[in-house]
């Protein structure tokens, strides 16, 4: 004889299945939002980064958080000391090639709140930096390109545009 159905077991199974379906739906919505954001960013192709004279390297959040779309992404296991002295383990790094010829390597992690452009790294890479009230710029000497630094009450911002031919590939690579 067949065993009678177990209503408690069936209800638990139904609830577990509904939970999985809800999670898949939520992930699909997140992916769709990220793709929409990426498309908007790709159209404007410009990213603002805080110019930081204390940062030892360039740091960016994930693309859906406003970070640069990087190419040639590799995993890394680097420990970074944050401004407050606390450690942060970075998960990956990649490259960004800007219009004008400047290429930077940046460490990327979802825990970064802002994109930081390292003045120290820029100088190590051969750039010259001029900081003056109302007249600040970064000169990328290898390509002879000047990038203006926009001054605000709390420092400077550098705005970089992705090279057109690389922008789409970088955006797609950022989500893979």
């Amino acid at each position: 004889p067949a065993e009678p159905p177990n209503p408690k077991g069936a209800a638990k199974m139904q609830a577990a299945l509904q939970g999985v379906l809800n999670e898949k739906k939520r992930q699909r919505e997140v992916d769709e939002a990220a793709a929409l954001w990426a498309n908007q960013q790709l159209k404007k192709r410009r990213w603002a980064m805080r110019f930081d004279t204390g940062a030892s390297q360039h740091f960016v959040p994930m693309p859906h958080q406003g970070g640069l779309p990087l190419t040639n992404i590799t995993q890394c296991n680097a420990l970074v000391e944050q401004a407050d002295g606390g450690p942060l383990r970075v998960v990956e790094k990649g490259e960004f090639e800007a219009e004008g010829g400047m290429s930077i390597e940046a460490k990327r992690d979802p825990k970064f709140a802002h994109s930081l452009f390292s003045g120290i790294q820029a100088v190590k890479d051969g750039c010259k930096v001029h900081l003056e009230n109302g007249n600040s710029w970064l000169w990328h000497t290898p390509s002879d390109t000047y990038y203006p630094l926009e001054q605000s009450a709390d420092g400077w911002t550098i705005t970089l545009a992705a090279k057109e031919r690389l922008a789409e590939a970088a955006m797609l690579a950022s989500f893979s």
Side-chain angles (χ1 to χ4, degrees):
E3 292 187 30
N6 180 348
K8 287 185 181 179
K12 285 182 182 179
M13 182 67 81
Q14 182 74 20
L17 180 59
Q18 189 60 46
V20 168
L21 293 174
N22 288 342
E23 179 58 27
K24 285 186 177 191
K25 180 181 178 190
R26 188 194 66 74
Q27 186 59 49
R28 187 172 48 252
E29 289 170 354
V30 167
D31 291 346
E32 287 171 2
L36 177 63
W37 177 89
N39 192 37
Q40 291 168 346
Q41 292 298 313
L42 185 57
K43 286 179 182 172
K44 70 178 188 179
R45 294 182 22 250
R46 301 176 65 78
W47 289 266
M49 298 179 74
R50 291 182 182 186
F51 186 84
D52 191 329
T53 58
S56 60
Q57 298 172 45
H58 308 298
F59 300 107
V60 297
M62 303 306 278
H64 67 279
Q65 297 170 298
L68 297 173
L70 303 177
T71 58
N72 301 323
I73 298 167
T74 58
Q75 299 301 310
C76 70
N77 190 17
L79 195 59
V80 174
E81 183 178 337
Q82 298 179 92
D84 65 4
L88 176 65
R89 186 148 315 277
V90 179
V91 297
E92 59 190 24
K93 64 182 177 180
E95 298 171 4
F96 178 81
E97 194 168 347
E99 284 183 352
M102 183 167 54
S103 180
I104 66 170
E105 179 181 275
K107 296 219 178 346
R108 179 166 80 177
D109 194 275
K111 295 178 197 90
F112 291 135
H114 307 285
S115 292
L116 299 179
F117 185 95
S118 168
I120 294 169
Q121 188 63 50
V123 170
K124 285 180 181 177
D125 291 342
C127 294
K128 303 230 184 277
V129 178
H130 179 80
L131 300 177
E132 178 184 355
N133 191 16
N135 181 29
S136 299
W137 41 262
L138 178 138
W139 176 28
H140 183 251
T141 55
S143 66
D144 196 29
T145 303
Y146 283 84
Y147 296 88
L149 299 176
E150 187 176 321
Q151 190 172 0
S152 66
D154 61 349
W156 290 269
T157 301
I158 185 169
T159 300
L160 300 176
K163 269 193 165 178
E164 182 132 6
R165 65 184 175 78
L166 298 176
E168 187 171 350
M171 191 61 68
L172 293 173
S174 294
F175 289 101
S176 58

